[in-house]
Amino acid sequence: MARNKYDVDETLETKFDMKQIKRLFSYVGRYRKKLIMTIMLMLFSSALGMVIPVLMQRVMDIYIPNHDKKGILLMAALAALIILATAYILRIKIKWTSQIGQGIIHELRRELFIHLEELPFSYYDSRPHGKIQVRIVNYVNNISDLLSNGIVNTITDCCSLFFIVGFMFYYSVPLTLICMCGLPILIAIVLFVKKKQRRGWQLASNKQSNLNAYIAESINGVRVTQAFVREDKNLGIFNNLSGSYRKAWMSVIKYNFMIGPTVQFISILATAAVYWVGIHWIMGGNDIISVGALTALTIYISQFWNPINTLASFYNSLLTAISYLERIFETIDEPVNVKDAPGAVEMPPIKGEVEFSHVVFSYEPGVRILNDVNFKANVGDSFAIVGPTGAGKSTIVNLISRFYNIDSGKILIDGIDINSVTIKSLRKQMGVMMQDSFIFSGTIMDNIRYGNREASDEDVIRAAKTVCAHDFIMSMENGYQTQVNERGSRLSAGQRQLISFARALLADPKILILDEATSSIDTETELLLQQGLQELLKGRTSFIIAHRLSTIKSSSCIMYIDQGNILEKGTHDELMAKDGYYKELYMSQYAFLEKM
């Protein structure tokens, strides 16, 4: 399957539209009550703030000319109380908006994570995992402020703006109109930078995604990097990716920073014009406006431009967030192709009969991996699958667990089409050990119990003994309670496989799938393991992929697969007698071992 790489920008499958903004705000609606309470508090705070210019006007027009010290002190005390009240309300607002914002982020990230867990293997096959991680962490974080403070401040300031304009018209209609002359210029600039901002942030998010993908890949492969002394070469790649992100970010951020200074510049010009005209009227002896009224008006003018600046900032944040929202919603909307069919039922207790009937499968359209595959495994059979690399061996066992959808044909378990049952009820009754022996951070006990949370400690130990893992586990500092790191970096490859094997066996499955289960186990341990498996595999249907053919000689059936077809099928003795592909593979491996 074609895979996106860290040096390839992702393309959007679906373009942004305003419905996605509405969809974003649906997350806000879950916190409607607290949001309304916050907005009401902020409106009350804003209303209190509008009283201060009125107090200033009374002081300058009435109390100062009349030398009324008590009146001045009273107005000062009222102003101080208003400032304290607004400060306390601001404290509550910060607390509540933080709770709202983080609650929304949690819900959005949770929905993303749930969906990622449901997506089929094909989704993860097609892109670097770092590009997936950046969406659920970085992109969601980048819209958190927009979903909390941005919305509250915008709604509050829009309401406040309405009252501010009313007070401004009350004091002077001509001066208010002079102040508003700068708005058309601001609107023109905002519309000019809109398209450039959106495209710029799309490019920046792509470069950030590429950088994150390479960092994740480098961390996972750090041992290989150091083993082959690739540090300098990798640093060069990192510098190129980081430089591309920095260049894209610097290119677009200048448009973001353009709005704030523009608002400030226009507000200064408008305020200066109002001062010039107002003072000209006062000096001319006109009664159009008083000194106190002009002072109050200029305070309202400064308050008028603050909400304008907030709205421009919100617009900026919205344009920035759009580039992240496109990726977030694209991920959430990624179709779950491998899912329960309508009317799917619970899989009854499995006995273990498995049949492939004319199965055709391809990862990419037109490129077949399996071509009309047919076979039947009876209850208790052990089927070994051999063949060259890329022949489709792992694909067959992945299809039994329905990790992918087949193109055509049927896969039957106990005569039941696996497409007609729920995926969870199917996979719960299977034991799967893949080539990648993934170990989770935690104790060894927890890792083995991962496949069966109800298993007792005794069950865990019994499974470990069966696969010959008990001795090495007990040799560790805390035995089964020993903490292991993510991916089991403290353990050898063989130890990781043995723990993964115990995990699969603990589930007590009727169908057991072993994909290169013994590839990292030494020969001595493998001999011991085979002894335990002979008893364990009785009554279970097993599918075994192994390159060491000596480990599968006793299998009920061996299938030789190449180019998507079963070329040979039979027991070890039958296939050796045929003098065909299997014998050639077996003898070449035997000859190789003889030379060692």
Side-chain angles (χ1 to χ4, degrees):
M1 182 176 291
R3 181 180 173 88
N4 181 270
K5 301 186 295 181
Y6 63 77
D7 56 350
V8 177
D9 290 345
E10 293 178 286
T11 56
L12 278 171
E13 300 297 329
T14 55
K15 298 300 181 183
F16 184 85
D17 58 46
M18 291 308 295
K19 289 180 180 178
Q20 292 185 340
I21 291 291
K22 183 179 179 182
R23 180 177 175 181
L24 174 65
F25 288 152
S26 69
Y27 291 91
V28 182
R30 302 171 191 178
Y31 298 86
R32 188 180 296 107
K33 289 183 179 179
K34 184 165 280 190
L35 190 64
I36 291 173
M37 289 172 61
T38 305
I39 291 171
M40 295 302 293
L41 269 178
M42 290 305 297
L43 287 175
F44 178 66
S45 174
S46 179
L48 287 176
M50 291 178 196
V51 175
I52 291 180
V54 177
L55 301 180
M56 289 288 294
Q57 186 219 347
R58 292 183 63 82
V59 168
M60 298 188 73
D61 285 349
I62 300 174
Y63 296 126
I64 291 178
N66 294 329
H67 304 285
D68 188 348
K69 294 181 180 179
K70 288 184 178 180
I72 294 173
L73 288 173
L74 179 61
M75 295 298 103
L78 286 174
L81 287 174
I82 290 172
I83 292 171
L84 289 173
T86 53
Y88 181 73
I89 291 173
L90 180 61
R91 179 178 179 275
I92 297 174
K93 175 252 184 183
I94 292 173
K95 178 182 177 182
W96 285 1
T97 52
S98 297
Q99 291 173 345
I100 293 170
Q102 287 307 306
I104 294 169
I105 291 305
H106 171 73
E107 291 294 329
L108 189 57
R109 187 173 285 130
R110 178 177 173 273
E111 187 172 336
L112 261 172
F113 184 76
I114 290 173
H115 191 68
L116 285 172
E117 286 197 309
E118 294 175 345
L119 288 174
F121 285 4
S122 56
Y123 178 79
Y124 298 95
D125 292 340
S126 63
R127 68 207 73 211
H129 294 173
K131 291 194 177 186
I132 301 172
Q133 184 181 14
V134 74
R135 299 185 183 204
I136 198 170
V137 180
N138 302 60
Y139 289 178
V140 174
N141 284 343
N142 286 331
I143 64 171
S144 61
D145 190 61
L146 173 73
L147 295 175
S148 52
N149 285 314
I151 294 174
V152 171
N153 291 341
T154 301
I155 294 174
T156 302
D157 287 345
C158 282
C159 295
S160 299
L161 194 61
F162 177 79
F163 292 112
I164 290 169
V165 171
F167 276 103
M168 289 169 64
F169 275 115
Y170 170 76
Y171 281 109
S172 175
V173 173
L175 293 180
T176 300
L177 293 176
I178 290 172
C179 173
M180 291 184 173
C181 286
L183 284 178
I185 301 173
L186 177 63
I187 292 171
I189 292 173
V190 168
L191 293 176
F192 170 74
V193 302
K194 172 188 173 183
K195 190 176 246 184
K196 294 181 179 293
Q197 274 184 297
R198 180 164 177 245
R199 287 179 178 175
W201 282 118
Q202 281 180 339
L203 179 62
S205 68
N206 271 336
K207 300 306 179 185
Q208 183 186 20
S209 179
N210 293 345
L211 178 61
N212 199 80
Y214 186 70
I215 291 172
E217 181 181 295
S218 299
I219 291 172
N220 288 332
V222 68
R223 287 171 175 76
V224 179
T225 297
Q226 294 182 7
F228 287 90
V229 198
R230 281 265 308 191
E231 291 90 343
D232 292 340
K233 179 69 174 178
N234 288 5
L235 178 60
I237 297 173
F238 173 84
N239 285 337
N240 288 335
L241 293 171
S242 183
S244 296
Y245 174 52
R246 178 180 59 186
K247 182 180 178 181
W249 191 87
M250 292 298 294
S251 176
V252 71
I253 202 65
K254 64 185 178 184
Y255 295 112
N256 268 38
F257 290 157
M258 184 186 295
I259 301 298
T262 300
V263 173
Q264 189 174 11
F265 180 71
I266 292 173
S267 68
I268 290 172
L269 288 181
T271 304
V274 169
Y275 266 124
W276 188 85
V277 174
I279 292 173
H280 179 73
W281 285 345
I282 293 171
M283 296 293 290
N286 296 323
D287 294 331
I288 299 175
I289 194 168
S290 65
V291 174
L294 180 61
T295 303
L297 179 62
T298 53
I299 294 174
Y300 283 123
I301 288 174
S302 67
Q303 292 181 343
F304 169 78
W305 286 105
N306 284 335
I308 296 295
N309 195 24
T310 300
L311 291 172
S313 298
F314 178 76
Y315 183 73
N316 260 340
S317 299
L318 190 61
L319 288 176
T320 305
I322 283 173
S323 65
Y324 300 121
L325 286 173
E326 288 171 326
R327 299 296 184 190
I328 291 169
F329 287 139
E330 181 188 53
T331 304
I332 293 176
D333 294 337
E334 185 73 28
V336 181
N337 296 323
V338 181
K339 60 183 179 180
D340 295 339
V345 298
E346 292 286 308
M347 183 72 182
I350 289 176
K351 295 176 182 177
E353 182 185 271
V354 178
E355 181 179 359
F356 273 51
S357 177
H358 303 288
V359 172
V360 176
F361 174 77
S362 56
Y363 291 108
E364 295 180 81
V367 184
R368 286 189 176 183
I369 303 299
L370 298 181
N371 183 30
D372 196 30
V373 171
N374 295 275
F375 68 85
K376 183 176 182 179
N378 294 317
V379 176
D381 282 351
S382 58
F383 264 56
I385 307 173
V386 300
T389 301
K393 302 185 297 295
S394 294
T395 299
I396 287 179
V397 294
N398 282 333
L399 293 180
I400 296 173
S401 297
R402 208 184 156 206
F403 291 130
Y404 299 91
N405 286 327
I406 59 177
D407 298 343
S408 62
K410 287 184 178 182
I411 300 176
L412 308 171
I413 294 180
D414 298 340
I416 300 172
D417 189 340
I418 63 172
N419 285 326
S420 67
V421 300
T422 62
I423 293 174
K424 285 186 178 180
S425 67
L426 172 68
R427 293 177 184 167
K428 276 183 178 180
Q429 300 188 63
M430 292 187 178
V432 181
M433 181 180 171
M434 300 180 180
Q435 289 171 298
D436 182 14
S437 303
F438 194 92
I439 300 296
F440 298 89
S441 57
T443 66
I444 292 177
M445 179 73 74
D446 288 338
N447 265 279
I448 297 176
R449 193 183 276 126
Y450 193 86
N452 182 1
R453 307 305 295 179
E454 305 300 321
S456 65
D457 290 356
E458 291 74 20
D459 294 332
V460 171
I461 294 170
R462 191 179 303 114
K465 286 180 176 179
T466 303
V467 300
C468 305
H470 179 74
D471 290 342
F472 93 78
I473 293 173
M474 293 306 297
S475 69
M476 302 187 79
E477 64 268 25
N478 295 313
Y480 285 86
Q481 298 306 317
T482 300
Q483 293 284 334
V484 290
N485 304 326
E486 180 185 353
R487 301 191 69 86
S489 57
R490 292 186 58 193
L491 305 169
S492 70
Q495 289 172 335
R496 290 198 298 271
Q497 282 196 318
L498 288 175
I499 289 175
S500 298
F501 209 21
R503 176 196 300 160
L505 301 182
L506 187 63
D508 192 25
K510 290 299 181 182
I511 296 176
L512 187 62
I513 295 171
L514 310 176
D515 189 349
E516 291 296 339
T518 60
S519 60
S520 298
I521 299 173
D522 60 80
T523 305
E524 183 180 350
T525 303
E526 185 178 356
L527 291 173
L528 294 172
L529 179 60
Q530 290 295 333
Q531 295 173 14
L533 286 179
Q534 293 307 313
E535 289 300 318
L536 181 71
L537 295 180
K538 286 182 179 178
R540 304 177 195 275
T541 306
S542 59
F543 292 86
I544 306 167
I545 298 175
H547 280 110
R548 278 188 269 185
L549 302 185
S550 59
T551 63
I552 59 169
K553 289 173 64 176
S554 61
S555 298
S556 306
C557 180
I558 299 172
M559 296 191 299
Y560 184 95
I561 295 178
D562 194 12
Q563 298 180 355
N565 295 290
I566 300 175
L567 302 183
E568 290 182 345
K569 185 169 62 172
T571 64
H572 171 76
D573 292 337
E574 290 171 348
L575 294 179
M576 291 296 288
K578 280 186 178 181
D579 200 21
Y581 296 104
Y582 176 77
K583 182 177 180 180
E584 182 181 351
L585 179 65
Y586 184 86
M587 295 308 295
S588 64
Q589 190 174 107
Y590 180 78
F592 174 77
L593 293 174
E594 284 286 309
K595 293 177 182 179
M596 292 181 64

